[in-house]
Amino acid sequence: MSGFRFLRNVLLVSIAGLIPPLALFVFLSPGFSTALSQGGPALVRFLRQVLTNGLPVVFAINYVGFFLYALSKQTERRGDPVSLVAIDVLARLSLFFCLHALIYVLSADWYGSFGGDRMTAISVVAPTLARSAYFENVSGVYFYATFVSAMPLYVTAIKQSKMFRKAVEPLPFVAGPFILAAAMFAATAVLITILAQAILRIQG
């Protein structure tokens, strides 16, 4: 697959992956759907936030996830694919934190968000991400939108890995890899919360 086609596919999957959790978040947030349906500044700010913050974060994480998935499918590759899962988890954590910080700083510069103060923008990253795993803010939408790139890699790695074999054995034969893959994704969400809370303690 050509580089352009790969980028296009990742972008399309990222957009498609954003829609369900975004719709669910709007539906579950009291009064939010009503405010957005009225249009005006609220809708403009929300769309800008999704396009300038959400889509870049989801695209970057999905790009890494699908790239690692492609590596896992290479027949000549040696070594246990659990290493690719470890790389993916570290990349998800790093990109989720770093891209949020970068985009918040740029938003302060370009749009005057956070009072136009870069330090304020950086200081709100940890408290925002600490609640994202619980789907309490739109950052949670962005993380769960990357589920689409995690599952193919994790399921493939679980099926191929000797290390995961014993963990899958007690689970249903067909659904086992999918259940374990979903659990691994959920564990990554927990790690985001733990890291964010640790940063909060340091900041405090």
Side-chain angles (χ1 to χ4, degrees):
M1 182 184 296
S2 66
F4 174 78
R5 187 177 178 186
F6 182 75
L7 289 172
R8 183 201 64 186
N9 289 349
V10 173
L11 177 61
L12 293 176
V13 170
S14 298
I15 294 172
L18 262 170
I19 293 174
L22 196 59
L24 181 62
F25 176 78
V26 171
F27 176 77
L28 294 176
S29 301
F32 199 22
S33 59
T34 302
L36 294 180
S37 65
Q38 294 174 352
L43 179 60
V44 171
R45 285 195 298 269
F46 179 70
L47 292 177
R48 185 184 70 192
Q49 212 269 359
V50 172
L51 292 175
T52 62
N53 184 186
L55 188 56
V57 169
V58 174
F59 175 84
I61 293 175
N62 283 346
Y63 180 92
V64 173
F66 286 125
F67 178 78
L68 293 173
Y69 171 66
L71 288 181
S72 72
K73 300 295 287 184
Q74 292 181 357
T75 55
E76 69 274 12
R77 187 183 175 279
R78 297 180 180 180
D80 197 296
V82 69
S83 61
L84 296 179
V85 173
I87 293 172
D88 180 81
V89 171
L90 290 175
R92 284 173 190 272
L93 294 174
S94 301
L95 289 171
F96 200 64
F97 277 90
C98 294
L99 287 178
H100 268 86
L102 174 61
I103 292 169
Y104 281 14
V105 168
L106 292 177
S107 294
D109 288 342
W110 295 348
Y111 308 117
S113 303
F114 313 105
D117 190 324
R118 293 182 176 183
M119 293 307 299
T120 300
I122 293 175
S123 68
V124 302
V125 172
T128 299
L129 300 191
R131 308 306 301 174
S132 63
Y134 302 108
F135 211 63
E136 292 183 4
N137 54 51
V138 75
S139 291
V141 170
Y142 306 151
F143 180 74
Y144 289 110
T146 67
F147 185 76
V148 294
S149 64
M151 288 300 286
L153 172 63
Y154 293 2
V155 169
T156 298
I158 290 168
K159 289 180 177 179
Q160 296 176 352
S161 174
K162 295 179 180 179
M163 295 183 63
F164 285 130
R165 191 167 297 165
K166 289 186 178 180
V168 178
E169 285 177 354
L171 301 173
F173 177 73
V174 176
F178 295 93
I179 294 173
L180 185 56
M184 291 164 59
F185 183 81
T188 306
V190 173
L191 282 175
I192 288 176
T193 301
I194 292 172
L195 289 174
Q197 290 177 343
I199 293 172
L200 276 174
R201 293 192 183 94
I202 295 173
Q203 289 178 340

